[in-house]
Amino acid sequence: METLLQVQEICKYYRMGEVQITAVDHVSFSVEKGEFVVIVGASGAGKTTVLNLLGGMDTCDSGSILVDGTDITKLRKRKLAAYRRFDIGFVFQFYNLIPVLNVVENITLPVLMDGRKVNDARLQELLDTLGLRGREKHLPNQLSGGQQQRVAIARALINKPKILLADEPTGNLDSRTGQEVMELLCEIFRERNTTFILSSHDPQMQCYTDRTVYFSDGKIEIENHHTGEENAQ
Ligand code: ATP
């Protein structure tokens, strides 16, 4: 196995007047290429903050995050923007689709924003994989929550990211739709050479993944590796 991500002693503090909140407290872990990891923790444990730091959407107060050997905490603005666009795919709990753009426009937005040409074969493949065929021209408000999240997943994958980060991707869905979305994510994970890191408050998520990292008060409490047999049960 090859290490893709090495998180070393990262800290993130929020200052609110005189009060300092420690959102992430000296956290270290690493992720292998092709691993599927879930970060589990209660509300306020620091899951979103960690994913935002890994995705280069927020900055650490200390520590380093090595992605394929490059410390992204040291990158200048332009290189960090390129990292966010090309190396990372991000799926949010509340989809974050653009309401006035249709399904295809939302999915291809990351490509068009860079002034590049859309790879039509890739787009068609994503529409098929994510069950969005026939919905190409629909606006987000004409879709169910599960369909909107599938559009968001396709948008996150359009640039073939090195790492897919998903922050509570099923948190806004009913349990059946959430299960369908998770099964779809697992299928995509198995078929592609991608690394997935997602967050959840639900310990049951471990049945889908290789490893669970439990967070509490901004710290790692414990890490569990899962075996194939265990996941198949
Ligand atoms: P949830 O499951 O509710 O989304 P979480 O595990 O993702 O929670 P975070 O959102 O990472 O937790 O928050 C970690 C801590 O940092 C919390 O105490 C939160 O109140 C605090 N926090 C997060 N963002 C900010 C901010 N912008 N300003 C001040 N405090 C913040």
Side-chain angles (χ1 to χ4, degrees), residues 132-189:
L132 294 165
R133 189 62 66 200
R135 305 276 177 191
E136 292 90 334
K137 297 266 183 281
H138 284 58
L139 292 172
N141 68 4
Q142 297 170 319
L143 301 172
S144 69
Q147 288 165 341
Q148 288 184 61
Q149 193 59 305
R150 286 190 263 138
V151 175
I153 293 167
R155 179 183 58 186
L157 293 169
I158 191 83
N159 277 332
K160 293 196 177 180
K162 275 186 195 161
I163 309 175
L164 184 90
L165 301 171
D167 190 10
E168 300 248 16
T170 61
N172 197 38
L173 302 171
D174 63 69
S175 60
R176 193 162 144 237
T177 314
Q179 197 178 338
E180 281 167 14
V181 166
M182 273 312 294
E183 278 162 14
L184 199 53
L185 277 172
C186 289
E187 200 181 306
I188 294 166
F189 173 74

Side-chain angles (χ1 to χ4, degrees), residues 14 16 21 23 42-49 168:
Y14 291 108
M16 305 188 72
I21 294 159
S43 181
K47 308 180 295 294
T48 299
T49 308
E168 300 248 16

Side-chain angles (χ1 to χ4, degrees), residues 5-25:
L5 177 73
Q6 269 180 289
V7 176
Q8 294 168 338
E9 292 282 320
I10 56 169
C11 293
K12 178 71 185 175
Y13 309 106
Y14 291 108
R15 288 168 195 92
M16 305 188 72
E18 297 292 294
V19 182
Q20 177 172 286
I21 294 159
T22 305
V24 179
D25 191 0

